[in-house]
Amino acid sequence: MKIYKVAVIAGDGIGPEVIGEGIKVLNKVAAMDSGFRFDFTYFPWGCEFYAKHGKMMDENGMEELKKFDAIYLGAVGFPGVPDHISLWDLLLRIRKDFDQYVNIRPVHLLKGAKTSLVDVKREDINLLFIRENTEGEYAGAGEWLFKGQQNEVVLQNSVFSRKGTERIIRYAFEAARKEGRSLTSISKANALNYSMVFWDQVFEEISSEYPDVETASYLVDAAAMLMVKDPKRFEVVVTSNLFGDILTDLGAAIAGGIGLAAGANINPERKYPSMFEPIHGSAPDIAGKGIANPLASIWSASQMLDFFGYEEYGKQVLGAIEDLLIEDETLTPDMGGTASTAEVGNRIIDIMETRLVSGKLNV
């Protein structure tokens, strides 16, 4: 039996509540297959840990995490801890130190989910964002000069290396080829006359290696408009760290809301563990009330199954989410329902069992 070691960082706010339901689903999938199981190890890191110890994780935290096959992250952030500390000292540290340079964000309108757009077919919203995840605008390079003085100057530098740019664009081309879909590059070369001109140049260079993949390129502002007006023109999308961060939240808005938005941070070479997370915040205003939406967490669990090579199970988890949305009975308040977090997770389990009995779940 294959045992997958998963580090769980439930984090802050609603993180522990939604991650708990994702773990419930992962264990259910493993129970349906005698070939593998999950071994979860919990780490109490996050803002509460910071309040007690003055740091977001243990000093040897990164060394500890290296021992695992994957990381399952809940949410990071809480009042009293500056966002740049909670982000840079935990989430971004893991992404960068473990070279998780591929961020995968599906923007897919599931059956039963409601979009904020009008006159758009469900199948028109089916985008796969591949975002550069370790450098670019979030490289953390810059200076703060003459702080507090009249001549104060702040420099925030973007970093686009040839290695980093080539590998994310090539990864996106491979994904587009595998799925038989088009690839769109999003940049801003008209205004960012070094970094984005370079990005466009590398995209053009690599596209010559993939003559079978249809390509397009848009400026980020035009892309944002077109995602709302004509989302069907986008299939696989590759873009930089900042643009990907912004556009995928727009994607969440048109694909059912932030409660359905999942993300995977991948180290393709598997030298380090990859990390899977719902991309919503910690929502401290509803933490502990048992009403947080766990569907994004469960979707990110399906991404973990895909990563481990169990794509059929990943599809079946998404199928269970769709069945839940279609029946429209067991939903949390953010989706117009009255169900609790645990009730949603339990209903997903029930649906998976029903799908198994009906033959929809192939095990």
Side-chain angles (χ1 to χ4, degrees), residues 95 99-105 128-137 159-177 183-187 195-196 198-207 209-210 213 236-245 248 264-269:
R95 287 178 178 175
D99 205 20
Q100 296 170 347
Y101 61 88
V102 177
N103 181 266
I104 300 175
R105 288 278 299 274
L128 180 65
F129 269 86
I130 296 175
R131 163 191 169 194
E132 200 290 315
N133 208 35
T134 58
E135 52 177 48
E137 303 89 350
V159 175
F160 287 82
S161 68
R162 176 162 285 276
K163 175 184 176 181
T165 305
E166 282 188 351
R167 67 184 182 178
I168 191 65
I169 291 175
R170 184 166 281 108
Y171 185 98
F173 267 104
E174 290 290 337
R177 171 179 280 175
L183 176 62
T184 298
S185 170
I186 295 177
S187 68
S195 61
M196 291 288 104
F198 174 70
W199 176 280
D200 285 354
Q201 175 187 317
V202 174
F203 183 78
E204 185 175 351
E205 290 172 2
I206 295 178
S207 68
E209 303 174 22
Y210 297 85
V213 177
V236 180
V237 178
V238 64
T239 190
S240 69
N241 214 332
L242 173 63
F243 295 163
D245 191 5
T248 51
N265 306 277
I266 304 298
N267 173 247
E269 295 77 19

Side-chain angles (χ1 to χ4, degrees), residues 294-321:
L295 293 180
S297 176
I298 293 170
W299 193 334
S300 65
S302 81
Q303 290 183 297
M304 189 187 301
L305 290 166
D306 292 341
F307 177 73
F308 285 141
Y310 304 104
E311 293 185 356
E312 183 59 32
Y313 286 124
K315 290 177 183 177
Q316 294 299 341
V317 170
L318 283 186
I321 294 175

Side-chain angles (χ1 to χ4, degrees), residues 83-121:
D83 287 343
H84 68 278
I85 290 177
S86 61
L87 190 67
W88 277 95
D89 290 359
L90 186 64
L91 178 61
L92 291 186
R93 183 180 178 187
I94 293 171
R95 287 178 178 175
K96 291 174 182 294
D97 285 7
F98 285 164
D99 205 20
Q100 296 170 347
Y101 61 88
V102 177
N103 181 266
I104 300 175
R105 288 278 299 274
V107 177
H108 176 50
L109 186 61
L110 299 177
K111 296 176 183 176
K114 298 176 177 63
T115 180
S116 53
L117 302 182
V118 295
D119 299 325
V120 172
K121 299 177 183 177

